[in-house]
């Protein structure tokens, strides 16, 4: 920035935004997260700065079917964490929405209790245009929150499908929320949530059927491979807050166990390797898009159409082109 005068956060460079956000400027923080969500060049710069800070947050993912009570639980968990004295960042992810609005608006309303608390920052994220998708955008957003001084980040995601499983993999502890409904535990299993759960919650335990759901879950846990952590099953009534302290206790216990056994380091390493892979794939796809608009692609495609070469050979040739990095642009000079 050349002008030292009053600049709106919209005009400021990522480094200036990061400094302002670390000073408690929530507008700057919101702007940073928008950049990350969009994933363009400024977003990449913001993510890189946050990465280089090396600051990591404690992270808890909360996933489960729509309506399971995730937002209500998050609202309660914020209260418990705040009582511990920790500042809290919340990311509410809606992978199905192209906009950060809609369902998230409902989430915001359910977390309204904390609207005036400066130690709490709640942000919704949608898919938008980030090249690496949510699997990259979410860890980047978490690191931004950590860097500006939020040591605990809760991530709410709708637990339906592979993307959500990937998002859940971005956190240290994953809490899977089910309800006391017939077959809910089975559905969670089918959605792949059994494998990612560190803690199970049967929320709406005030409704009939909690005991059966617990039995189903425990039976499925009996069948799955036993490591050194068996996911505990906690019953909660998020609306009244019953069981939420116990849930937080299990989350804390899990995080302590991760930290002592070296599992936290392993998890974080695996997560970064996955993130790197994801970024690499996104970058290569970007190169391919660039390439397919170019002359070299047209020439190779013509050879394929004329049956002079087969698509495999053509692809190999184009991959060499990508590796050269000139994207099939006409040779200079
Ligand atoms: N009966 C009952 N209703 C609950 C409980 N927790 C949440 N709800 C209600 O379930 C609905 C969905 O909650 P929400 O937190 O938005 O679910 P999300 O879609 O998983 O985030 C809301 O109407 C909540 O008031 C609970 O423990 N018992
Ligand atoms: Mg919600």
């Amino acid at each position: 920035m050349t002008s030292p005068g009053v600049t709106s956060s919209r005009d400021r460079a990522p480094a200036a935004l990061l400094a302002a956000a670390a000073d408690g400027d929530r507008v700057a923080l919101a702007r940073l997260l928008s950049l990350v969500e969009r994933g363009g060049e400024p977003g990449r710069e913001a993510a890189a700065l946050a990465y280089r800070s090396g600051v990591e947050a404690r992270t808890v993912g909360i996933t489960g079917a729509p309506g399971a009570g995730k937002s209500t639980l998050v609202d309660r968990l914020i209260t418990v964490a705040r009582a511990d004295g920790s500042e809290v960042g919340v990311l509410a992810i809606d992978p199905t929405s192209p906009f950060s609005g809609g369902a998230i608006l409902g989430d915001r309303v359910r977390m309204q209790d904390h609207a005036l608390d400066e130690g709490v920052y709640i942000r919704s994220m949608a898919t938008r245009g980030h090249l690496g998708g949510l699997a990259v955008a979410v860890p980047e957003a978490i690191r931004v929150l950590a860097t500006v001084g939020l040591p605990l980040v809760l991530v709410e995601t709708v637990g339906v499908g592979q993307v959500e499983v990937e998002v859940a993999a971005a956190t240290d502890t994953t809490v899977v929320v089910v309800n006391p409904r017939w077959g809910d535990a089975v559905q969670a299993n089918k959605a792949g949530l059994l494998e990612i759960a560190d803690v199970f919650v049967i929320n709406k335990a005030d409704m009939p059927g909690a005991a059966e759901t617990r039995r189903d879950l425990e039976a499925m846990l009996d069948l799955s491979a036993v490591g050194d952590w068996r996911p505990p099953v906690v019953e909660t009534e998020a609306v009244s807050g019953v069981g939420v302290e116990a849930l937080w206790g299990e989350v804390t216990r899990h995080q302590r166990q991760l930290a002592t056994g070296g599992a936290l380091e392993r998890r974080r390493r695996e997560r970064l390797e996955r993130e790197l892979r994801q970024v690499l794939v996104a970058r290569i796809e970007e190169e391919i898009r660039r390439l397919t608009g170019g002359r070299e692609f047209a020439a190779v495609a013509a050879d394929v159409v004329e049956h002079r070469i087969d698509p495999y050979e053509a692809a190999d040739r184009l991959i060499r082109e990508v590796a050269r990095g000139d994207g099939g642009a006409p040779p200079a000079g």
Side-chain angles (χ1 to χ4, degrees), residues 37-307:
E37 184 179 42
R38 223 166 290 142
E41 194 50 46
R44 181 174 162 173
E45 195 183 327
L49 286 169
Y51 187 83
R52 276 188 246 121
S53 82
V55 183
E56 300 218 49
R58 237 168 13 115
T59 51
V60 182
I62 293 98
T63 191
K70 298 179 295 299
S71 298
T72 316
L73 266 178
V74 166
D75 181 72
R76 293 284 176 183
L77 289 174
I78 294 171
T79 306
V80 177
R82 291 296 287 142
D84 278 355
S86 179
E87 299 207 354
V88 188
V90 177
L91 291 174
I93 314 288
D94 185 357
T96 58
S97 167
F99 311 107
S100 36
I104 303 301
L105 211 60
D107 287 340
R108 283 269 179 81
V109 170
R110 271 187 268 292
M111 298 174 198
Q112 198 61 272
D113 295 354
H114 308 284
L116 297 176
D117 182 349
E118 302 229 318
V120 178
Y121 180 79
I122 300 170
R123 161 78 189 202
S124 52
M125 271 182 94
T127 35
R128 294 278 177 88
H130 197 297
L131 270 179
L134 282 175
V136 178
V138 170
E140 286 180 350
I142 290 172
R143 281 194 292 263
V144 167
L145 293 172
T147 303
V148 305
L150 296 159
L152 172 67
V153 178
L154 308 179
V155 183
E156 177 187 337
T157 14
V158 177
V160 281
Q162 190 52 38
V163 178
E164 293 70 20
V165 170
E166 269 180 46
V167 171
T171 52
D172 301 329
T173 301
T174 298
V175 175
V176 171
V177 185
V178 298
N179 291 147
R181 275 194 302 251
W182 185 84
D184 223 31
V186 178
Q187 289 307 321
N189 189 13
K190 275 195 196 148
L193 298 183
L194 203 67
E195 285 131 72
I196 60 163
D198 298 307
V199 177
F200 273 107
V201 174
I202 304 172
N203 185 45
K204 307 195 187 181
D206 51 309
M207 312 278 275
E212 289 84 341
T213 303
R214 173 183 284 278
R215 201 191 49 216
D216 288 350
L217 282 174
E218 299 284 5
M220 286 190 292
L221 288 170
D222 287 342
L223 290 176
S224 56
V226 183
D228 46 6
W229 176 263
R230 179 184 168 109
V233 180
V234 186
E235 290 174 33
T236 59
E237 298 171 23
V239 169
S240 64
V242 171
V244 175
E245 293 270 358
L247 167 59
W248 191 243
E250 293 296 359
V251 167
T252 308
R253 191 166 70 86
H254 178 254
Q255 302 214 320
R256 261 204 304 273
Q257 140 108 9
L258 276 184
T260 51
L264 186 62
E265 291 313 307
R266 194 167 55 244
R267 249 181 212 222
R268 290 185 170 173
R269 190 171 57 239
E270 283 168 3
R271 189 187 303 155
L272 283 171
E273 285 173 2
R274 192 168 46 237
E275 198 180 327
L276 169 59
R277 209 158 50 229
Q278 208 82 26
V279 170
L280 183 63
V281 168
R283 291 287 295 110
I284 290 172
E285 277 176 355
E286 202 178 31
E287 287 302 309
I288 289 173
R289 257 195 303 279
R290 204 157 60 84
L291 183 68
T292 51
R295 264 189 223 182
E296 181 64 18
F297 182 84
V300 172
D303 281 347
V304 172
V305 171
E306 297 298 326
H307 291 261

